[in-house]
């Protein structure tokens, strides 16, 4: 409930009205805070002062960031909390190292990371339940490191802070038990977790989300180059017997990124960018750390600079080549087109449990003279109604919601009715994409 509490609080300053800019303003503020946390992490893990801006730019100008800001839901807040969690863990890590090296801190300074972890864990769990998956992996890395350093007391305080935050979230919102263990999403997650079907396809689709959202589909090439750079850097450090001071940062961020990616890909209801929004900053951050680790000589510094320019170009192109998902360009033109018709009729084909298209096209329904709601599996039983409308008007509008199996519905309408064509007006251009957004079509009768 945390994101919506904040959104409703802002809306309360404007009673009787609502604007998208309230939600967008909230997300923009969270984006700025996320970039601030990102800068703290880059300042800590990246030594080259110019490369510190690489993760900030590659995430900040990516399609991933644009879509997350435009999507007025909890995912921008969740991304900020993920970076905040990494920041407090890093702060605790540094405090421990400095203490072991003889530096002293006041009790108040030493308490800051624990208090931050408590608040972040509580806020994260009150924002999105998937946050716990990300937290599990990064906290596991920190816990193991503390035990390896024989910091038993600090490991205990660390564990108490994390679990106390989770307990605090449950005390504030005990309904989460029902949501997780008795709700339809919880049941769906458990079924997906223990199902062995389609994992390879799911992983491919979710990776493609990261590839498209971050690097304009050049992600495979960039991944190969970055891995090569990491291997060369590690070999060089071993050969020179130099300290691999970037290791903790890479392991910490990579653990959260990879662990979260595999688990959420397995349990999420479908492959959509929002479910991996929390790890987009981590992708940019770990790539930046690896590139920085490669700057051990003049030639490799030039190589790192060229690679950085290529990644920035690919990132910026991601926002230009692919249209952001939530801009809804052309919607006003569709409304004007409907208003110009004398007797516009609409057929809304929906699955049993979906109301996505109603939400998206709620405005549009008010401009229709009549809307027929038909369940997907009952489409054939309403062919006569569609034919009567086409005979009377010569055309009709069609809305298919995100789970209505668009391609099959279109084929049935073309085959069983007097329709000559079914053309997309607004929404997904591909009839085969499965997603939550509805799409609007125009059915034209045969002459």
């Amino acid at each position: 409930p945390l994101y919506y509490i904040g959104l409703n609080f802002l809306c309360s300053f404007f009673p009787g009205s609502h604007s998208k800019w309230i939600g967008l303003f909230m997300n923009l503020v969270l984006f700025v805070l996320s970039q601030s946390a990102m800068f703290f992490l880059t300042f800590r893990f990246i030594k080259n002062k110019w490369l510190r801006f690489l993760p900030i730019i590659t995430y900040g100008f990516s399609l991933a960031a644009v879509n997350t800001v435009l999507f007025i839901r909890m995912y921008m807040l969740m991304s900020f909390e993920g970076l905040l969690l990494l920041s407090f863990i890093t702060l605790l890590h540094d405090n421990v190292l400095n203490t072991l090296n003889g530096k002293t801190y006041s009790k108040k300074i030493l308490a800051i990371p624990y208090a931050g972890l408590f608040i972040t864990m509580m806020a994260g769990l009150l924002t999105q339940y998937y946050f716990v998956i990300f937290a599990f992996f990064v906290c596991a890395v920190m816990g193991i490191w503390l035990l390896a350093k024989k910091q038993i007391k600090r490991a205990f305080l660390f564990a108490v802070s994390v679990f106390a935050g989770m307990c605090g979230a449950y005390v504030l919102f005990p309904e989460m038990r029902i949501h997780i263990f008795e709700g339809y999403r919880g049941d769906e997650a458990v079924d997906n977790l223990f199902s062995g079907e389609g994992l390879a396809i799911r992983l491919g689709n979710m990776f493609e989300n990261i590839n498209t959202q971050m690097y304009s589909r050049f992600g495979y090439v960039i991944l190969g180059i970055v891995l090569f750079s990491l291997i060369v850097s590690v070999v060089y450090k071993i050969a020179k017997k130099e300290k691999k001071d970037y290791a903790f940062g890479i392991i910490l961020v990579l653990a959260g990124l990879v662990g979260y990616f595999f688990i959420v890909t397995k349990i999420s209801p479908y492959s959509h960018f929002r479910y991996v929004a929390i790890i987009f900053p981590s992708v940019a951050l770990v790539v930046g750390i690896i590139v920085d680790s490669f700057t051990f000589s003049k030639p490799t510094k030039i190589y790192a600079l060229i690679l950085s320019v290529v990644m920035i170009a690919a990132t910026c192109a991601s926002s230009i080549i692919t249209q952001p998902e939530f801009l809804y360009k052309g919607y006003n033109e569709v409304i004007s087109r409907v208003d110009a018709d004398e007797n516009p009729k609409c057929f809304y084909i929906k699955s049993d449990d979906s109301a996505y298209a109603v939400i998206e096209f709620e405005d549009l329904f008010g401009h229709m003279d009549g809307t027929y709601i038909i369940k997907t599996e009952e489409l054939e039983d309403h062919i006569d109604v569609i034919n009567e409308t086409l005979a009377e008007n010569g055309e009709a509008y069609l809305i298919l919601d995100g789970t209505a199996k668009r391609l099959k519905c279109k084929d049935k309408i073309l085959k069983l009715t007097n329709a000559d064509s079914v053309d997309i007006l607004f929404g997904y251009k591909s009839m085969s994409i499965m997603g939550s957004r509805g799409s609007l079509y125009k059915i034209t009768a045969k002459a």
Side-chain angles (χ1 to χ4, degrees), residues 334 337-338 341 345-349 357 361 364 368 390 395-402 404-410 413 421-433 437-444:
V334 169
R337 182 171 179 172
V338 171
D341 290 347
K345 296 289 178 67
C346 177
F347 295 93
Y348 165 37
I349 314 297
F361 293 105
L364 183 64
M368 298 289 180
L390 291 175
E395 60 184 23
Y397 292 94
L398 171 70
I399 292 176
L400 300 178
D401 76 9
K405 299 180 181 178
R406 296 181 178 92
L407 195 58
K408 289 184 179 180
C409 288
K410 178 188 174 183
I413 289 171
S421 63
V422 179
D423 302 310
I424 183 78
L425 293 180
F426 181 81
Y428 283 123
K429 294 294 186 290
S430 171
M431 298 288 288
S432 61
I433 290 179
R437 289 174 56 188
S439 295
L440 175 69
Y441 306 89
K442 183 71 167 285
I443 309 175
T444 305

Side-chain angles (χ1 to χ4, degrees), residues 30-46 51-62 65 76 79-80 82-84 86-87 90 214 253 277-289:
L30 290 168
F31 171 73
V32 172
L33 292 173
S34 297
Q35 290 291 71
S36 301
M38 178 82 87
F39 182 75
F40 168 79
L41 291 165
T42 60
F43 191 85
R44 168 58 184 83
F45 291 122
I46 298 177
L51 286 179
R52 286 172 181 167
F53 293 97
L54 178 62
I56 295 170
I57 294 172
T58 51
Y59 173 66
F61 286 92
S62 67
M76 191 68 249
S79 298
F80 168 57
L83 287 168
L84 209 57
L86 290 173
S87 298
T90 302
M214 289 293 295
V253 180
I278 190 175
I279 63 173
F280 286 134
S282 296
V283 171
L285 183 59
V286 77
V287 168
I289 299 171

Side-chain angles (χ1 to χ4, degrees), residues 9-37:
F9 175 73
L10 291 177
C11 290
S12 68
F13 290 98
F14 308 93
S17 65
H18 184 67
S19 169
K20 62 186 177 185
W21 292 107
I22 298 173
L24 291 176
F25 170 76
M26 182 174 172
N27 280 359
L28 282 169
V29 170
L30 290 168
F31 171 73
V32 172
L33 292 173
S34 297
Q35 290 291 71
S36 301

Side-chain angles (χ1 to χ4, degrees), residues 16 45 75 114 118 134 164 170 190 197 232 244 314 370:
F45 291 122
Y75 299 99
Y114 301 114
F118 168 76
F134 180 81
Y170 180 77
V190 172
E197 298 178 3
V232 172
K244 296 180 282 297

Side-chain angles (χ1 to χ4, degrees), residues 185-360:
R185 283 295 190 219
D187 293 339
E188 190 175 42
V190 172
D191 291 342
N192 289 337
L193 181 63
F194 292 103
S195 171
E197 298 178 3
L199 178 58
I201 296 174
R202 277 176 161 265
L203 289 171
N205 290 340
M206 200 65 94
F207 185 83
E208 193 59 33
N209 265 316
I210 298 176
N211 188 16
T212 303
Q213 300 278 334
M214 289 293 295
Y215 298 115
S216 306
R217 299 185 187 276
F218 292 104
Y220 294 99
V221 177
I222 291 173
L223 177 63
I225 294 173
V226 168
L227 287 176
F228 168 77
S229 303
L230 178 61
I231 293 169
V232 172
S233 178
V234 170
V235 171
Y236 176 85
K237 298 278 185 179
I238 293 173
K240 293 290 183 177
K241 296 181 179 180
E242 292 183 7
K243 184 180 178 182
K244 296 180 282 297
D245 48 6
Y246 54 82
F248 179 80
I250 292 177
I251 294 171
L252 177 69
V253 180
L254 207 56
L257 194 166
V258 175
Y260 181 91
F261 175 79
F262 276 95
I263 298 297
V264 169
T265 298
K266 190 75 174 71
I267 68 173
S268 60
Y270 35 78
S271 301
H272 191 263
F273 88 88
R274 66 179 181 265
Y275 295 117
V276 289
I278 190 175
I279 63 173
F280 286 134
S282 296
V283 171
L285 183 59
V286 77
V287 168
I289 299 171
I290 292 173
V291 172
D292 179 66
S293 73
F294 198 71
T295 58
F296 48 76
S297 66
K298 188 174 181 180
T300 58
K301 286 180 180 178
I302 295 172
Y303 165 84
L305 176 63
I306 295 172
L307 180 58
S308 299
V309 171
V310 171
M311 284 192 290
I312 290 171
T315 295
C316 293
S318 69
S319 299
I320 299 171
I321 295 173
T322 306
Q323 178 181 307
E325 189 167 342
F326 304 102
L327 284 183
Y328 302 112
K329 287 185 176 180
Y331 188 71
N332 291 333
E333 288 78 1
V334 169
I335 295 291
S336 299
R337 182 171 179 172
V338 171
D339 288 340
D341 290 347
E342 291 185 7
N343 187 30
K345 296 289 178 67
C346 177
F347 295 93
Y348 165 37
I349 314 297
K350 67 185 293 291
S351 60
D352 274 338
D353 59 353
S354 175
Y356 293 118
V358 171
I359 296 170
E360 186 170 355

